[in-house]
Amino acid sequence: MADSLFLPLAAKSSNAHSSLFFRNCPSPSRLLPPKSSLLLHGGEKKISVLALSLYSRVSLPHRAALIRALDSDVPHPLHKGSVNFKNRKSYVEWDSLTAKFTGAANLPFLLLQLPQIILNTRNLMAGNKTALLAVPWLGMFTALLGNLSLLSYFAKKRETEAVVVQTLGVISTFVVISQLAIGEAMPLPQYVATSVVVAAGLILNFLNYYGMLNLTIWKFWEDFTTVGGLSVLPQIMWSTFVPNIPNSILPGSIAFVVAVASITLSHSGKLSEKGPKFIGAISGWTATLLFMWMPVSQMWTNFLNPDNIKGLSAISMLLAMLGNGLLIPRALFIRDLMWFTGSLWATLFYGYGNIVCMYLLETISREFFLAATVGLIAWIGMALWRDAAVYGYNSPLRSLKELVFGS
């Protein structure tokens, strides 16, 4: 499924987050200012409370608190308490490893997209433009919008590896869309508009990531992705069940009106205190829910037409499971509920879920199924156990409790 290659989705964290301060830092003490720069008060030589409080946040690892749905647009996760000093080294090591896992997810996601790009190239070179009609441009555009929304989410969090994953998703999906436009499988005006959105999205996210973007411009971009995501999500959900239900653009139209009205009320200050936070969280969550819906759509198709499962590639489903599975430890470690939910869902219901369907319909071997099952259970179990260990907990259930309810 070319329009569901980058399911991460779901997403995450931080410019003041300890993971970024400790990444590539051999010693946390390097983050402290020189002794000469600490303010002293009179003969008592007491370190300034301001200086100490400023640097103490980054000198020791901290327990990550939940990034609630309403706080998903906060630039970094909140932290409460501190990790057991004895576990500090393992905490820093696991922080670094989870970041590397996220970076490594680029490989399976890239391998998942390349076959479609290569196939489209061959068809274009052979003059077989009709073959490109098999790839729905609207589905690709939907995936692209999801990637852009999540790119903005992770860029605001300064979660570098996740930014790279989503950027790769945007670029590779846009390559496919460009091929469709060349093959006349996508209308030119829509392609031009898409190109403008992609170029603007990449530039704005790059500038925002490095703190070079005007806040007003960034807010406008966030409003755009919010309206787009909220409008597309219900429409895609409705379209999944067509022709069992009437074909209609009503769900998307209603969602569009609601989104525009909500943003207008938010800017006019007519919402409650939590209103703007809720609006700010919509973009990331709608993108996550959009990617989460893709496995549902695929399984519904499998249910209606079991023979279609034979057209799925077991390797592609395995790559989808691997790519999203690699994101789970990081999302759990930084307590990002949205990212964890999307990644776990995609791993279980898109990658592994389709592998189960293929096994039940006897299109893959028993050995392949068992290997995928054992590997998945072992990986998730390791992530839960290791996370609990670095935080000094006796049970992984406490990590999950913090993830869902906060510390």
Side-chain angles (χ1 to χ4, degrees):
M1 293 289 291
D3 59 340
S4 57
L5 300 179
F6 290 86
L7 294 178
L9 43 47
K12 181 21 251 232
S13 122
S14 75
N15 60 5
H17 178 239
S18 60
S19 67
L20 296 183
F21 284 104
F22 286 97
R23 192 175 306 154
N24 302 322
C25 292
S27 171
S29 62
R30 292 176 56 189
L31 298 170
L32 289 169
K35 293 182 179 179
S36 59
S37 67
L38 295 177
L39 302 178
L40 302 179
H41 296 285
E44 298 180 1
K45 297 184 179 181
K46 292 183 180 179
I47 299 177
S48 167
V49 175
L50 175 60
L52 181 59
S53 64
L54 174 63
Y55 290 95
S56 63
R57 289 190 62 193
V58 298
S59 62
L60 290 174
H62 287 73
R63 184 189 318 158
L66 167 69
I67 298 182
R68 302 182 186 279
L70 295 183
D71 296 323
S72 65
D73 63 336
V74 178
H76 56 79
L78 306 175
H79 295 80
K80 298 178 182 179
S82 60
V83 175
N84 188 309
F85 183 80
K86 296 179 180 179
N87 296 329
R88 185 178 66 179
K89 182 178 180 180
S90 60
Y91 181 100
V92 174
E93 290 175 349
W94 186 237
D95 178 15
S96 177
L97 274 176
T98 55
K100 291 177 181 177
F101 291 151
T102 302
N106 282 295
L107 181 58
F109 285 138
L110 181 60
L111 293 175
L112 195 60
Q113 187 76 296
L114 274 179
Q116 185 66 61
I117 295 176
I118 294 173
L119 179 61
N120 289 346
T121 301
R122 289 177 178 174
N123 286 325
L124 286 173
M125 294 179 66
N128 185 18
K129 295 183 179 181
T130 304
L132 274 70
L133 294 174
V135 183
W137 71 266
L138 187 58
M140 297 302 299
F141 176 78
T142 301
L144 185 63
L145 183 60
N147 283 129
L148 280 172
S149 296
L150 290 174
L151 173 59
S152 300
Y153 176 84
F154 289 121
K156 194 169 184 178
K157 307 291 183 180
R158 307 298 191 271
E159 190 68 22
T160 306
E161 291 77 11
V163 167
V164 175
V165 170
Q166 297 304 324
T167 301
L168 180 61
V170 170
I171 294 174
S172 59
T173 303
F174 182 70
V175 169
V176 175
I177 285 180
S178 297
Q179 291 176 323
L180 297 181
I182 294 173
E184 299 179 0
M186 178 180 184
L188 183 59
Q190 283 85 335
Y191 173 71
V192 172
T194 300
S195 301
V196 172
V197 171
V198 170
L202 291 176
I203 293 173
L204 292 176
N205 277 288
F206 175 83
L207 294 175
N208 183 63
Y209 181 84
Y210 289 102
M212 302 165 59
L213 187 65
N214 180 276
L215 181 60
T216 301
I217 298 177
W218 178 250
K219 288 295 183 183
F220 176 80
W221 170 252
E222 285 188 320
D223 291 343
F224 173 80
T225 56
T226 297
V227 172
L230 193 58
S231 301
V232 168
L233 177 60
Q235 189 62 49
I236 291 297
M237 296 173 71
W238 181 273
S239 300
T240 298
F241 302 105
V242 174
N244 298 85
I245 57 177
N247 189 12
S248 173
I249 63 171
L250 187 60
S253 301
I254 293 176
F256 175 80
V257 173
V258 171
V260 172
S262 299
I263 289 176
T264 302
L265 291 174
S266 176
H267 287 308
S268 63
K270 295 182 178 180
L271 296 179
S272 63
E273 182 180 349
K274 292 184 178 181
K277 288 186 177 181
F278 179 78
I279 298 300
I282 288 179
S283 178
W285 274 103
T286 51
T288 299
L289 292 172
L290 183 63
F291 284 113
M292 287 174 65
W293 185 256
M294 289 179 178
V296 177
S297 178
Q298 181 65 59
M299 290 185 178
W300 176 252
T301 301
N302 295 344
F303 173 75
L304 294 178
N305 303 291
D307 289 340
N308 286 354
I309 199 73
K310 298 178 181 179
L312 292 179
S313 167
I315 299 301
S316 294
M317 295 302 102
L318 182 63
L319 288 172
M321 187 180 79
L322 286 173
N324 288 287
L326 285 169
L327 304 176
I328 293 175
R330 184 66 180 174
L332 176 62
F333 176 71
I334 60 178
R335 301 298 190 263
D336 188 328
L337 180 59
M338 190 188 79
W339 192 8
F340 181 85
T341 302
S343 298
L344 183 63
W345 182 276
T347 301
L348 294 179
F349 293 99
Y350 182 69
Y352 184 69
N354 280 300
I355 288 177
V356 171
C357 292
M358 297 172 77
Y359 174 70
L360 294 177
L361 294 174
E362 300 181 347
T363 61
I364 59 173
S365 66
R366 182 170 180 268
E367 291 74 16
F368 185 95
F369 172 72
L370 289 177
T373 301
V374 172
L376 177 61
I377 294 175
W379 177 256
I380 295 179
M382 181 279 298
L384 291 172
W385 168 80
R386 183 62 175 164
D387 186 87
V390 299
Y391 278 105
Y393 300 155
N394 295 323
S395 171
L397 293 178
R398 183 170 177 183
S399 294
L400 294 175
K401 181 181 178 181
E402 280 191 352
L403 176 70
V404 178
F405 301 106
S407 56

